[in-house]
Amino acid sequence: MTARTVRFKQVDVFTPVPFKGNALAVVFDADALDDAQMQSIARWTNLSETTFVVAPTDPAADYRVRIFTTGGELPFAGHPTLGTAHALLDSGYRPKTPGRLVQQCGVGLVELAEQRDGGWAFSAPPARVAPLPPSQYDALAAALRTDAIDFSAAPTAVNNGAPWLVVRMQSAAACLALAPDTQALASIVHAAGAHGVAAYGPHPAGGPATFEVRCLMVGDSFGVGEDPVTGSANAAIAGLLTQQQRRPGPRYTARQGTAIGRDGRIRVEYDDDAGKTWIGGESVTVFDGTCRLP
């Protein structure tokens, strides 16, 4: 009996250099797979996310994607969005509109655009925001084991399909120095309706990027540990910078993954005329082949 196989790629996202970004497994031709099979594959790859490309149900979409962590399905996530688009194009797919893609996923339709300087960017989906009560500030500082939180920008829970508690640090160095009490942090994060902390701090002028970013996960569907490079969290930060009137300009860059030996690079651009915030970066294919199914 011939084994059933589907096309498979493993790509590295937010980097042009293999092993320096955030890995993503992409399974094509996944329409015949049920939820349990998708979850089983995602657990086996043991990556932060695995995506499954299926036929769209909305005629405006180029494709539909389902995004699974090792613990469950997400309605949206940033690095899987960019990584799936890269894998699809790398497989030979041609967009309905040159230089544009429309992804259908749990939050609806997400627009992607080819960037002039390489890679692709997605338009950040709408988000719900909820500032952390000031009564929680001391507990947050204690849980993060730091006295360098910039409370002039209120820590805020932001949910754009992936819920993060965004915390601004006084500097990139303070962000890199974080060594939190995970159990105490989990209590605060979960009470805020989030699954992790997206901490960021500004680099000095002339630094490697505008901001340093770290995403500290505390369970639930995100898992536990530090995410190498995170599109949804960077989208949350970009949106909050607008709301808090802290934008560094019409575009900026972020570096993420430094604390765990990665070198992810994110490009953010505001298009106020169109009312869009673009979160972009480069991706590279690392493994290309087939996945054997049971």
Side-chain angles (χ1 to χ4, degrees):
M1 183 175 178
T2 303
R4 187 161 66 101
T5 62
V6 291
R7 290 179 297 153
F8 173 89
K9 290 180 185 285
Q10 190 162 313
V11 302
D12 210 4
V13 186
F14 289 118
T15 177
V17 181
F19 315 124
K20 287 296 183 180
N22 197 355
L24 174 75
V26 182
V27 178
F28 295 87
D29 315 313
D31 296 270
L33 300 178
D34 61 25
D35 292 7
Q37 288 172 307
M38 291 183 184
Q39 187 63 74
S40 178
I41 293 170
R43 281 196 297 267
W44 180 83
T45 66
N46 202 33
L47 297 174
S48 56
E49 282 99 2
T50 299
T51 64
F52 299 86
V53 181
V54 296
T57 58
D58 189 316
D62 284 88
Y63 61 98
R64 183 163 65 97
V65 66
R66 297 186 63 183
I67 304 167
F68 282 79
T69 70
T70 56
E73 187 171 7
L74 295 176
F76 171 78
H79 107 271
T81 293
L82 292 182
T84 302
H86 168 84
L88 189 67
L89 293 164
D90 192 48
S91 74
Y93 179 79
R94 293 294 174 261
K96 292 179 179 180
T97 302
R100 285 283 195 264
L101 285 169
V102 177
Q103 171 185 284
Q104 183 182 359
C105 58
V107 296
L109 299 180
V110 175
E111 185 181 359
L112 294 100
E114 190 171 11
Q115 296 190 295
R116 293 183 300 273
D117 45 0
W120 284 69
F122 66 85
S123 176
R128 300 190 305 273
V129 299
L132 192 72
S135 60
Q136 292 291 303
Y137 285 6
D138 287 346
L140 177 64
L144 286 173
R145 295 175 173 156
T146 183
D147 59 0
I149 298 174
D150 181 356
F151 285 115
S152 69
T156 301
V158 181
N159 189 340
N160 53 23
W164 295 98
L165 178 61
V166 178
V167 179
R168 184 181 177 105
M169 306 301 297
Q170 293 172 5
S171 67
C175 184
L176 287 170
L178 290 173
D181 177 337
T182 303
Q183 186 173 356
L185 187 63
S187 177
I188 296 167
V189 168
H190 292 158
H195 294 167
V197 166
Y200 75 103
H203 279 283
T210 311
F211 295 113
E212 188 73 31
V213 175
R214 293 181 68 185
C215 287
L216 310 173
M217 304 178 294
V218 292
D220 294 334
S221 60
F222 279 11
V224 177
E226 183 160 350
D227 197 42
V229 203
T230 319
S232 61
N234 277 279
I237 292 167
L240 203 57
L241 286 168
T242 295
Q243 183 178 3
Q244 296 177 339
Q245 300 183 330
R246 302 293 291 266
R247 282 191 196 176
R251 61 186 59 83
Y252 69 84
T253 59
R255 184 178 74 171
Q256 188 180 345
T258 310
I260 54 174
R262 308 290 179 89
D263 188 23
R265 301 300 175 114
I266 304 97
R267 296 191 290 261
V268 176
E269 184 169 349
Y270 296 103
D271 182 355
D272 290 330
D273 291 338
K276 297 180 184 296
T277 300
W278 295 97
I279 312 297
E282 297 183 71
S283 300
V284 59
T285 300
V286 179
F287 299 107
D288 189 353
T290 58
C291 173
R292 180 173 175 167
L293 301 175

